[in-house]
Amino acid sequence: MATTTVSNIQNVLKNLWPQDRVVNEVYPDHPFLARITKDEAFTGEDIKLVVRTRDGQGRAVTLANAQTRASAPSHSRFALTRSKNYQVFRIEGEAIEASRNDAGALVRALDDEIKGSINNITKDLAVNLFRGRSGNIGAIGSVAGGPPATITLSNVADVTSFEVGMILVASATSTGANRATPATATITGVNRSTGVLTFANGTFAGTNWVANDYLSVSGDNANGSGNGNKAMGLADWLPVTDPLGGESFLGVDRSVDRVRLAGLPLDISAFVPEEGALYAVMELDRNGARPRDFVVNHTDYQSVLNSLGTKAVTKYEGTGQVGFQTIQIMGPKGPVSMYLDQDCPAGTGYCLDMRFWKLYSLGPAPKMLELDGLPMLRLSDDDAYEGRIGYYANLGTTAPGFNAVVTMPSS
């Protein structure tokens, strides 16, 4: 006698959906982006950000000498322009109709597309605010031809910036020309524990992609021409290396006063983590700053927390819907909140005086692009619709010297 099994009756079995919503697991929180002041009135051609770098030097113990030495104060003026970024989604008309209520689907397809698209471009902006206009989002540790074809990232923590479907390019330097073989590589898998990216078999046949190459999303990087296509980030305003003499960063030669025009570079890698963090705060205070934010990656936050042990003073803080725990560093001008952000590169921290930072944009960043009043466009050759999200924005500061880029301890 035949036994009835699940496979025999699958046509009459129901599909059960016990959850009432689909959880978004794609990095929804970006503390630094949440905390920075937004100026959404960036009209005109550019914004002039003026920095006072020197007081008049007409001082002496005699009036005659003071008169002889009288000089005007010195200012530098950065000319900040906007950068563009776009996110596009397309959805079939039938898919919109079929999922318009709870009886038909677990999620409304159109709503899900819009939320996902906003989430994706917001994540890109959050990463951009740290890594800057170069478009680089990580570096190669090693390449394997496979199968499977893989790249192991040089810094596992950078894996949060990579997604399946991303089309990558590689270059030997941060602004150098793209490698030729392959010209691009599309991610088919991401191991978020090991930092291994998987690609289709044969992707790296005869490759000239090598360890220490920079990785970028295709089109974002400089590719041997200019400095890159993304908005400015902390890495641009606060470089680790000294600006070269005669450079023109937004029209300014920052080499004439490295700290006041390009921030304070500090290497605390040889310090005990907690002592190094306090040293960074003290050095900024010595330069006249009043830092309140110290943003680091999860790895570096844990190092400081472990170093402090039971001495750690923590505080829960929030900005809008984004809340996070902070380590309180007791500086000479009050407590500094160290907090973690997955978008901050591991090994690099930023001690900041946030009073002098703004994200300047034309309207919200990001936003639906619908100046014609149409949130979606009907495609002329398909039963489908296209939505566009984007922003015109850039990051700026009026006091680079009140901020520090910090090379963090490795443990």
Side-chain angles (χ1 to χ4, degrees):
M1 183 174 65
T3 300
T4 300
T5 66
V6 170
S7 61
N8 298 143
I9 61 171
Q10 62 181 357
N11 288 334
V12 298
L13 291 177
K14 292 182 177 180
N15 290 317
L16 300 180
W17 301 88
Q19 65 206 80
D20 58 3
R21 65 187 181 93
V22 174
V23 178
N24 174 24
E25 291 191 320
V26 191
Y27 309 125
D29 297 332
H30 309 286
F32 178 68
L33 175 58
R35 285 172 79 95
I36 195 168
T37 300
K38 316 296 190 301
D39 184 336
E40 299 177 355
F42 189 176
T43 56
E45 180 180 10
D46 60 18
I47 289 178
K48 299 295 195 293
L49 303 176
V50 180
V51 179
R52 184 186 180 98
T53 58
R54 187 191 70 192
D55 294 327
Q57 295 302 299
R59 188 213 60 77
V61 295
T62 67
L63 178 60
N65 283 343
Q67 290 174 323
T68 301
R69 299 170 188 174
S71 61
S74 179
H75 300 83
S76 293
R77 186 175 67 181
F78 298 99
L80 187 72
T81 57
R82 291 178 293 273
S83 176
K84 301 176 184 178
N85 204 7
Y86 301 100
Q87 170 87 31
V88 173
F89 66 88
R90 288 185 174 183
I91 184 169
E92 185 183 47
E94 184 180 3
I96 298 174
E97 296 279 7
S99 63
R100 66 167 59 251
N101 58 44
D102 292 340
L106 196 60
V107 297
R108 290 173 174 81
L110 178 57
D111 182 58
D112 194 52
E113 283 280 357
I114 294 173
K115 287 181 178 177
S117 295
I118 291 175
N119 192 59
N120 190 57
I121 194 172
T122 300
K123 166 66 177 176
D124 185 78
L125 173 59
V127 173
N128 188 178
L129 290 181
F130 286 99
R131 296 182 180 269
R133 58 183 173 174
S134 71
N136 306 148
I137 55 175
I140 295 175
S142 62
V143 181
T150 62
I151 284 176
T152 301
L153 297 173
S154 63
N155 193 328
V156 176
D158 289 342
V159 74
T160 59
S161 297
F162 294 85
E163 299 288 343
V164 172
M166 274 186 175
I167 302 173
L168 302 182
V169 295
S171 56
T173 63
S174 62
T175 59
N178 293 347
R179 297 289 193 183
T181 309
T184 62
T186 302
I187 301 174
T188 59
V190 179
N191 188 318
R192 301 197 179 277
S193 298
T194 63
V196 173
L197 312 178
T198 303
F199 303 82
N201 290 337
T203 297
F204 299 115
T207 186
N208 61 353
W209 293 30
V210 296
N212 300 316
D213 276 0
Y214 292 85
L215 294 171
S216 307
V217 173
S218 178
D220 286 352
N221 64 324
N223 192 14
S225 176
N227 296 298
N229 301 313
K230 303 296 288 293
M232 293 289 175
L234 294 174
D236 300 307
W237 283 103
L238 309 173
V240 174
T241 57
D242 291 343
L244 297 175
E247 76 154 13
S248 180
F249 177 80
L250 305 183
V252 175
D253 180 359
R254 298 182 295 175
S255 68
V256 299
D257 196 328
R258 197 274 189 238
V259 171
R260 288 181 178 169
L261 294 173
L264 181 64
L266 296 171
D267 186 343
I268 63 170
S269 58
F271 284 71
V272 174
E274 60 171 298
E275 295 175 357
L278 180 58
Y279 170 76
V281 172
M282 297 295 285
E283 284 297 291
L284 273 179
D285 178 78
R286 189 169 64 85
N287 279 276
R290 191 186 302 164
R292 287 289 180 269
D293 287 50
F294 200 145
V295 58
V296 296
N297 190 273
H298 288 64
T299 303
D300 301 309
Y301 184 92
Q302 183 176 350
S303 293
V304 175
L305 193 60
N306 289 344
S307 177
L308 284 166
T310 58
K311 298 181 294 181
V313 177
T314 61
K315 179 183 178 182
Y316 188 81
E317 300 183 30
T319 302
Q321 295 181 341
V322 180
F324 38 85
Q325 196 77 11
T326 65
I327 299 172
Q328 298 294 291
I329 302 170
M330 301 306 166
K333 293 177 181 174
V336 177
S337 296
M338 174 178 281
Y339 57 94
L340 50 82
D341 192 317
Q342 82 245 356
D343 305 313
C344 184
T348 301
Y350 292 96
C351 195
L352 306 170
D353 192 332
M354 293 293 284
R355 296 174 299 166
F356 304 105
W357 290 94
K358 282 186 180 179
L359 178 62
Y360 298 93
S361 62
L362 268 174
K367 64 180 179 180
M368 295 293 295
L369 302 180
E370 49 181 347
L371 287 179
D372 56 2
L374 300 175
M376 291 197 302
L377 305 175
R378 184 169 60 187
L379 301 183
S380 61
D381 59 349
D382 193 8
D383 176 20
Y385 297 81
E386 178 177 290
R388 299 176 184 178
I389 300 166
Y391 59 81
Y392 319 105
N394 223 328
L395 176 69
T397 178
T398 53
F402 286 173
N403 304 273
V405 54
V406 185
T407 301
M408 301 294 292
S410 57
S411 61

